[in-house]
Amino acid sequence: MKLPAIDRRTLLIGGGAGVGLVVGFLAWPRREGAPMVPGRNDRLVNAYLRIASDDRVTIAVPQAEVGQGIWTGLAQVAADELGADFARMAVEPAPHSDAYFNRLVDPKVPLRITALGTSIRSFEQPVREAAAAARDLLVRAAADQWSADPRECRTVGGRIVHEARSTSFGAVAEAASRLRPADAVQLRDDSDGRLIGQALPRLDLGAKSDGSFRFASDVRLADMLFASLRKAPSGGRIVGADERAALAQQGCRKLVVRDAWVAAIADSWWAADRALERAAIRREGPAVSSDDLAQRMADAIGGGAFDRMVDIGDYDAAVEGSRPLAATYSIAPLPHHSLDPPSAAAHWTNGRLDLWVATRVPDLVKAAVAKAGGLNDRDVNVYPMPIGDQSGTGFDASIAVIAAELARDAGRPVSLAMSHRDAQQSDRVRPPLRAAMTALPAPGGQIKAWRARLAGMASLSADLADLGGGRKPGFAPASASPPYAFPSLRVETVDAGLPIDTGYWRGGDEALTTFATESFIDEMARAAGMDPFAYRLAKLGGASRLARVLTIVTANGGWDGGGPGSSMGLACASLQSSHIALLATATIGADQSVEVSKLTAAVDCGRVVNPGLVRQQVESGLLAGLAAATVPAPDRVGGLWKAVTMTGRPFERLAKVPEVAVEIVGSRADPGGVSGLGIAVIAPAVANAIFAATGRRLRNLPFDPMAG
């Protein structure tokens, strides 16, 4: 396979004594600061892949590490294509460059972004191409030394091998850097020493295990101060704070009050946060309660101003004179419950700003900070730090903007962090959804017509609009169509327009709409008196990959038909170019809580780089989604969300965590995303299992068995 994107017109090779080989691209900027600086004799400033004279292979990873294992995944891709020793692989955050735009999220908007399970899908091929170019140079350098034919050489375990001779990558890296790139190179097609498909250990596992892994809140600089933050309600403002009381806190140096926020700067974060408690901050904002929000959602779904997203066949004609079956489902706004609250560290030096921040969109954060501070983009250097969870945080530029202002005001480096409570109170929550579903059954268990009316709010696009200062977007879910084939299908949407801030949540829009779709198809199967598995399978039409995982999961999980005496429920979904089916065993306990004992999943996510990472992603999505489905939604008081503690929840004890089994179905298709799979199917599968076990249909998220 030839790689037209990697040729001598686009490729730059650098190196030098003690540096080794560096592979980069002409399109990359030359003047921006970068984490990969090969050395003073090198021709490049920004590099993608570096092979040092000590055999260390380092790649620049464009995506944020949010726990999904992308550092490991892309390092494994590079090591496999190179024929490198995985134990000698290292990663660094990629520098600021338009070479790293993730065009899968939105092809029309060039943006470096980590979201929607696109990391491997977007960057597997570029990393392979860069590694293939480096391998070609290394092999040719070694062959020159041996006077051998490069076509007779191979790479394995970090060495170039020709017959009985071998040499390490590092030994020929400098010589390789002096070679002219080939007009075109080929990807590996052999099977010797391949790493793709192996469950290699995570590169970050050791550091996370011993506590040495560093997040934004762990950054420590000389002479650093610490700050804590409270925000005003959305659409509101700070109306007062007791500065004298705050300064009475030992260690507190200053209270900074703005219309939208108030922060305390102190010698320690604890002292800063205690100072804010003493300040008795007074805030005002729209007095909209949770009940008000729920009523507005109901009003929106009952209105008539819908946008028609999908219209297949003639729904009106199909249902004329009939009475379709109907059900309404709702999902409440939910905070992210992040393990890693918003934090940033800022340091000014001679009018230039260095920022360490947990972000999925480093270029947008850089632009937002530069605009707020009246700076040129070149004077702001953003170091993207890992993010402590995958819930969907990492789109907040305000924490970086405020940290920069506090550090400039203090004249010293400042580490700013919010408490978990305050992060929840001002969170850009998971968007609410209300879905009015109708369907007309036909003889033989068929469905003649299906309609979904959805009221909701923007998620990822709302985050991006806020970062870019654009107009608040309307509700336009990325995918609201069911995976089933119906003669008549209509999907309509309306923006609920609630006075709250919404943002991205793991799984995206599909994680919301799947709850309504998979719950309602189950209800239709029950109304027809049919096995929910057979009912789904008959309607999947050309969705062969989804049908396959659905068939596998019922076999693996011992599907019992879901009839009387069962406590099993099914759900399936296609999202992020992947496919998942889930069989859940669940019921309602004596204390009226949801009890889930077993989860069996089958996943087809195309070609798998690391099956261990895939299983981790699916399992974590299932458990995160189960927590979100069972932890009560927060009330809204005084324009702020009332923080919900996880203390006392069943998942604090491992004995309450259900048994989880995940089968990865082999596939030659291109890789798909996996981060949102588990979280999309868990709630409907559990709801369907509870109906089988108890006859009670739970149509509202989070679940409240007492309310139904």
Side-chain angles (χ1 to χ4, degrees):
M1 179 189 299
K2 288 191 175 182
L3 305 177
I6 302 297
D7 58 37
R8 60 186 176 85
R9 293 181 299 276
T10 59
L11 191 66
L12 282 175
I13 304 302
V19 173
L21 172 67
V22 178
V23 181
F25 295 91
L26 285 167
W28 295 6
R30 301 298 188 88
R31 297 185 180 278
E32 299 257 8
M36 297 186 84
V37 180
R40 59 187 177 86
N41 296 323
D42 191 72
R43 299 197 304 271
L44 293 178
V45 174
N46 287 334
Y48 192 71
L49 186 147
R50 182 176 71 218
I51 302 173
S53 55
D54 65 355
D55 294 336
R56 175 73 64 180
V57 179
T58 305
I59 68 168
V61 178
Q63 298 293 88
E65 177 60 69
V66 301
Q68 83 279 43
I70 193 58
W71 285 4
T72 302
L74 288 183
Q76 187 167 345
V77 169
D80 177 76
E81 189 61 44
L82 272 170
D85 178 3
F86 189 69
R88 302 294 296 167
M89 295 299 296
V91 298
E92 293 179 1
H96 174 65
S97 168
D98 58 7
Y100 302 122
F101 289 160
N102 184 345
R103 300 184 186 278
L104 275 182
V105 174
D106 188 342
K108 297 176 293 185
V109 181
L111 181 65
R112 187 156 54 131
I113 181 173
T114 305
L116 298 174
T118 55
S119 294
I120 287 291
R121 290 188 284 161
S122 287
F123 295 102
E124 181 202 34
Q125 188 70 8
V127 167
R128 288 192 72 189
E129 291 173 351
R135 174 174 45 80
D136 176 71
L137 292 163
L138 292 167
V139 166
R140 287 164 51 200
D144 286 347
Q145 293 181 7
W146 297 327
S147 298
D149 186 342
R151 293 172 296 182
E152 297 176 356
C153 301
R154 58 192 176 91
T155 57
V156 60
R159 301 186 71 80
I160 303 101
V161 179
H162 178 259
E163 296 179 348
R165 295 174 294 191
S166 73
T167 188
S168 69
F169 285 179
V172 297
E174 184 181 343
S177 72
R178 294 192 292 267
L179 296 177
R180 176 179 176 175
D183 286 341
V185 295
Q186 292 183 332
L187 297 178
R188 291 184 64 182
D189 57 6
D190 61 304
S191 58
D192 189 18
R194 298 305 294 263
L195 300 177
I196 291 296
Q198 294 189 37
L200 298 180
R202 294 179 64 128
L203 295 179
D204 54 359
L205 182 61
K208 286 183 175 178
S209 298
D210 64 19
S212 61
F213 198 75
R214 291 292 177 259
F215 298 96
S217 59
D218 297 317
V219 171
R220 294 294 181 267
L221 303 173
D223 208 28
M224 177 171 266
L225 294 173
F226 299 85
S228 187
L229 176 71
R230 305 285 192 273
K231 288 186 176 181
S234 176
R237 62 192 182 95
I238 303 293
V239 295
D242 190 335
E243 182 178 11
R244 179 177 298 179
L247 293 176
Q249 170 63 46
Q250 184 177 1
C252 181
R253 293 173 174 263
K254 190 170 186 179
L255 189 72
V256 182
V257 182
R258 300 289 184 265
D259 283 346
W261 52 269
V262 55
I265 303 174
D267 295 327
S268 69
W269 184 86
W270 183 88
D273 199 59
R274 289 298 304 162
L276 290 179
E277 289 294 323
R278 292 187 173 209
I281 299 165
R282 300 184 299 282
R283 301 177 263 204
E284 67 177 22
V288 181
S289 69
S290 299
D291 290 340
D292 293 333
L293 296 176
Q295 183 59 53
R296 293 193 188 193
M297 291 294 294
D299 293 342
I301 203 71
F306 288 90
D307 293 324
R308 195 164 293 178
M309 291 187 61
V310 180
D311 204 8
I312 299 172
D314 191 335
Y315 177 84
D316 293 326
V319 301
E320 186 176 4
S322 303
R323 188 173 181 180
L325 298 180
T328 300
Y329 305 87
S330 69
I331 300 177
L334 196 70
H336 288 86
H337 292 291
S338 174
L339 297 174
D340 182 26
S343 59
H347 182 207
W348 290 87
T349 307
N350 299 324
R352 291 180 57 86
L353 174 65
D354 288 317
L355 270 169
W356 293 260
V357 59
T359 177
R360 295 170 179 256
V361 280
D363 301 331
L364 288 182
V365 168
K366 177 185 177 81
V369 171
K371 181 179 179 181
L375 301 170
N376 190 298
D377 275 9
R378 292 189 298 271
D379 293 329
V380 179
N381 194 22
V382 172
Y383 297 91
M385 301 296 288
I387 299 175
D389 75 289
Q390 286 186 252
S391 62
T393 57
F395 290 97
D396 183 12
S398 67
I399 196 77
V401 171
I402 296 169
E405 181 175 340
L406 295 177
R408 174 180 268 174
D409 185 83
R412 292 168 59 178
V414 169
S415 172
L416 171 64
M418 298 183 73
S419 69
H420 285 85
R421 180 196 64 189
D422 291 289
Q424 280 192 49
Q425 286 183 334
S426 57
D427 190 35
R428 300 181 66 88
V429 293
R430 176 186 71 182
L433 181 76
R434 193 168 179 89
M437 314 291 289
T438 56
L440 183 64
Q446 299 301 309
I447 292 179
K448 188 177 180 181
W450 175 288
R451 185 184 71 188
R453 280 188 165 175
L454 309 172
M457 296 180 68
S459 54
L460 177 58
S461 59
D463 276 321
L464 298 181
D466 183 69
L467 279 163
R471 187 173 63 179
K472 190 173 183 178
F475 176 56
S479 176
S481 296
Y484 308 103
F486 303 125
S488 296
L489 170 65
R490 180 174 292 174
V491 179
E492 299 171 318
T493 63
V494 63
D495 191 284
L498 305 185
I500 59 174
D501 291 327
T502 57
Y504 178 64
W505 218 69
R506 184 176 179 180
D509 297 327
E510 292 93 336
L512 303 178
T513 57
T514 297
F515 173 63
T517 298
E518 285 301 294
S519 294
F520 192 50
I521 196 73
D522 203 80
E523 293 203 44
M524 294 297 294
R526 302 288 181 179
M530 296 182 63
D531 179 327
F533 160 61
Y535 193 80
R536 284 176 169 84
L537 199 63
K539 293 166 180 56
L540 282 176
S544 58
R545 295 173 69 187
L546 188 57
R548 185 184 180 197
V549 294
L550 187 61
T551 302
I552 289 172
V553 83
T554 53
N556 290 353
W559 170 248
D560 59 10
S566 174
S567 57
M568 292 184 172
L570 285 169
C572 60
S574 295
L575 65 154
Q576 300 177 355
S577 298
S578 295
H579 313 273
I580 184 171
L582 178 66
L583 175 58
T585 303
T587 189
I588 296 175
D591 61 353
Q592 294 301 298
S593 65
V594 172
E595 294 184 354
V596 181
S597 57
K598 187 175 182 180
L599 299 170
T600 305
V603 173
D604 177 355
C605 57
R607 184 176 63 255
V608 174
V609 171
N610 186 316
L613 295 179
V614 171
R615 286 194 175 87
Q616 290 169 17
Q617 287 298 286
V618 176
E619 291 174 1
S620 69
L622 291 172
L623 296 180
L626 185 55
T630 53
V631 173
D635 292 326
R636 190 164 176 86
V637 180
L640 296 171
W641 299 105
K642 187 175 181 181
V644 177
T645 177
M646 300 297 284
T647 303
R649 306 298 174 191
F651 301 111
E652 285 187 308
R653 300 186 297 277
L654 287 176
K656 289 291 186 177
V657 175
E659 175 187 348
V660 181
V662 177
E663 176 170 342
I664 302 171
V665 178
S667 173
R668 294 184 178 180
D670 289 338
V674 294
S675 64
L677 294 181
I679 212 161
V681 293
I682 179 67
V686 169
N688 295 337
I690 287 173
F691 179 81
T694 68
R696 297 164 65 180
R697 180 63 68 176
L698 302 183
R699 297 192 179 103
N700 303 317
L701 280 178
F703 295 137
D704 183 359
M706 297 293 289

